[in-house]
Amino acid sequence: FTACSAAPSMLSLLSLALGLSLLTTSRPPAPRAAARLAASSAPSFSLPSPIETLKRLSSAEARELQRELLELAFEQDPQVVVRRSLDLARAVRVVGSETVQGLSSAAAAPEPPVILRRMCEELGATYVKLGQFIASSPTLFPPEYVQEFQKCLDATPPMPWSDVKEIVEAELGRPIGQVYASVDETPLAAASIAQVHAARLLSGEDVVLKVQKKGVQGSLKADLDLLYANARVLQLLGVVTAELSDVVATLRSAILEEIDFVLEAQRTEQFAEFLARSPELDGVVTVPKVYRAASASRLLTLERLYGVPLIDLESVRKYQPQPELALIVALNTWVSSVLTNEWFHADVHAGNLLVLTDGRVAFIDFGIVGAIPAATAEGMLDFVRSFPAGDMAGVGRALEKMGFTKELSEEQSAAFAKDIGEVIASIDSMTADIATTASAGAAASAIDETQLNRAVAAVARVAEGYGIRFPREFALLIKQVLYFDRYTSLLAPGLDVLNDERLSMNRPPPPGDGGVSSVEGGSVAVEVLPPEDDAE
């Protein structure tokens, strides 16, 4: 498999894989934890001896890996592999030239995070997604990389209309005019994997078409399989740990699922079913209707929803005179999905939460979902209650219940809670920033991704001081809570989150109902890749 990927491709991706493995083991510990981690936090990196390498290459594991990689190789389109190798050579040349110019100028030399981000941008969809993975993983990567990859550009030039029409008609199996009365040739949004066009069906409904970009499937599969193959080979040779292979395997699975529009349609419809069987949510929360007859693996036709982002305070007031009611509905929906649905929406940033012109709240874009065990769901609910109330002891207990901590003594738990309290106290300054920004009329930009990622990373670093290593799922789960905490500061600063009975989490569960998810056992299973911010 790797032989057909061309030498430049192999060399650069090996370097990328090695760099990422070092990144995941080299995050500096929190100051108070330095002494505790001095013996264990330094990254270990060494090449195996020739004898050890030969033993590994002749092992049963090596034979199994060979079979796995051969299967991947037979699935590849040789033309795509050659094209991607040429793309990589071009990206190396472009970014290399930029780096040399930076070194020769009076300006500061480009830092490694900048160079890696530019490589990802030049390489296109797969590597933009890789960059977004880094940006959304503050518990896995150093803060300077997380911050730099916030800039990773996902906006790309749109496909020409001729390509869009060709793909739509190929997916429908008939001329476009036999399904749609009209389609706007200019897209509403264009990202690395897909673009969105406004349209109207022959039956008169306003819809949006999410159209996968030409060649994306082949390129993504070739790139992701190559990344995975390299990680597995390096793991076999003992150059990197299994952690890197696990990260790459999860990334690969998540991206391949994201380009499966049939799966996205199923998720959207399943969430609609969840809303329908929740009496207090039915009629006040919605998701886009899926038009199956006009959808396929590379085409998704959805009801067009007209509304404004949840944090656009002035616009929200036009459609909901009491913005806090919209917040309560959104929070009740999300908490209920965590506790009672098969899975929950795991990326509730403002672009995915809308207040519609009729006052309903809409959840859109189900590119990232998760399912958690009952104990974790209970712990998360405790966290939601404790965090806004400033109950740091409760926060510490909630984290332990969520299963992300090792067993601590009573004294250690108290110290852990105190340290987290200090971190959260520093986070609280964001609330004032949000209130100031909102009053200045710029509410739509009030939720700062960088601030939220720093907050999650800070909590994770404190945890490391107690020998606790949070999985990336922790970042996703806690980040949703932080989103809602920020939305509360913006839309309902006087809301008593801990006691307001309008919030479902403050009501006792019905008799005989544990009030938790039916998902049992195991660790948190949350997909790791943020979806593209496609407009609807």
Side-chain angles (χ1 to χ4, degrees), residues 188-527:
L188 295 171
S192 57
I193 286 178
Q195 61 191 56
V196 178
H197 291 258
R200 178 167 292 171
L201 295 172
L202 288 175
S203 52
E205 296 96 332
D206 286 348
V207 295
V208 292
L209 311 186
K210 187 175 182 179
V211 185
Q212 194 173 112
K213 288 194 169 180
K214 194 172 185 178
V216 158
Q217 283 189 350
S219 295
L220 280 173
K221 183 159 179 55
D223 290 345
L224 292 167
D225 286 350
L226 180 57
L227 281 173
Y228 176 72
N230 285 330
R232 292 284 285 117
V233 170
L234 291 172
Q235 177 190 344
L236 173 69
L237 295 176
V239 177
V240 301
T241 66
E243 182 180 14
L244 175 65
S245 293
D246 291 343
V247 168
V248 174
T250 307
L251 172 69
R252 175 173 172 262
S253 173
I255 294 182
L256 291 178
E257 283 193 1
E258 187 176 348
I259 63 174
D260 184 351
F261 287 178
V262 173
L263 178 61
E264 184 174 344
Q266 292 171 349
R267 288 175 175 170
T268 305
E269 290 177 333
Q270 197 282 327
F271 203 79
E273 293 171 3
F274 154 70
L275 295 176
R277 62 177 185 264
S278 305
E280 71 172 12
L281 301 178
D282 189 25
V284 294
V285 188
T286 191
V287 295
K289 176 183 176 181
V290 178
Y291 291 88
R292 286 282 190 165
S295 298
S297 62
R298 295 186 298 164
L299 170 67
L300 187 58
T301 300
L302 300 167
E303 172 189 7
R304 186 173 187 183
L305 299 178
Y306 294 92
V308 296
L310 187 65
I311 57 170
D312 188 349
L313 183 57
E314 292 306 314
S315 295
V316 167
R317 283 188 175 130
K318 295 178 183 176
Y319 310 118
Q320 175 51 266
Q322 296 179 279
E324 71 174 36
L325 295 182
L327 170 69
I328 289 170
V329 167
L331 183 54
N332 280 343
T333 302
W334 183 76
V335 171
S336 180
S337 69
V338 170
L339 298 176
T340 66
N341 194 36
E342 298 172 23
W343 46 265
F344 62 92
H345 197 304
D347 192 32
V348 292
H349 69 73
N352 288 339
L353 283 176
L354 303 177
V355 175
L356 304 184
T357 54
D358 61 6
R360 291 180 299 164
V361 171
F363 283 72
I364 64 172
D365 201 338
F366 293 89
I368 184 169
V369 302
I372 61 177
T376 305
E378 290 178 336
M380 186 159 195
L381 191 55
D382 290 345
F383 185 96
V384 172
R385 291 167 175 155
S386 301
F387 177 69
D391 178 7
M392 292 307 105
V395 167
R397 289 192 299 270
L399 292 175
E400 290 186 49
K401 187 182 290 188
M402 288 169 72
F404 296 141
T405 71
K406 68 176 186 180
E407 187 172 344
L408 301 177
S409 67
E410 185 175 343
E411 181 180 350
Q412 287 175 318
S413 292
F416 182 39
K418 181 176 182 297
D419 286 352
I420 290 181
E422 292 174 357
V423 171
I424 292 179
S426 66
I427 296 172
D428 281 344
S429 62
M430 286 194 293
T431 300
D433 292 341
I434 288 175
T436 301
T437 305
S439 64
S445 61
I447 308 299
D448 190 322
E449 284 284 330
T450 302
Q451 287 180 318
L452 290 179
N453 282 326
R454 285 176 180 168
V456 175
V459 173
R461 284 197 297 272
V462 168
E464 285 182 357
Y466 293 85
I468 299 162
R469 179 64 182 253
F470 289 127
R472 181 179 184 270
E473 289 86 351
F474 166 83
L476 290 174
L477 289 167
I478 300 304
K479 194 170 180 180
Q480 312 316 305
V481 177
L482 291 175
Y483 273 130
F484 277 112
D485 182 63
R486 299 306 98 188
Y487 300 152
T488 300
S489 300
L490 177 66
L491 299 176
L495 182 67
D496 185 351
V497 176
L498 189 61
N499 297 304
D500 196 310
E501 292 186 357
R502 292 175 297 175
L503 294 172
S504 59
M505 64 185 183
N506 293 329
R507 305 174 203 148
D513 181 4
V516 296
S517 171
S518 60
V519 179
E520 297 293 340
S523 59
V524 179
V526 180
E527 297 175 23

Side-chain angles (χ1 to χ4, degrees), residues 91-163:
V92 170
R93 183 175 68 252
V94 170
V95 177
S97 176
E98 293 175 358
T99 303
V100 170
Q101 290 177 3
L103 291 172
S104 61
S105 68
E111 295 292 331
V114 177
I115 295 173
L116 187 57
R117 172 181 62 81
R118 285 290 298 119
M119 279 292 294
C120 287
E121 289 176 344
E122 288 294 325
L123 285 168
T126 306
Y127 296 92
V128 166
K129 288 297 178 187
L130 178 62
Q132 292 174 338
F133 174 76
I134 295 173
S136 64
S137 304
T139 60
L140 288 183
F141 299 97
E144 62 270 22
Y145 282 82
V146 172
Q147 182 173 354
E148 181 63 33
F149 276 91
Q150 295 292 329
K151 306 172 187 174
C152 201
L153 301 176
D154 193 33
T156 57
M159 285 187 295
W161 170 247
S162 58
D163 287 344

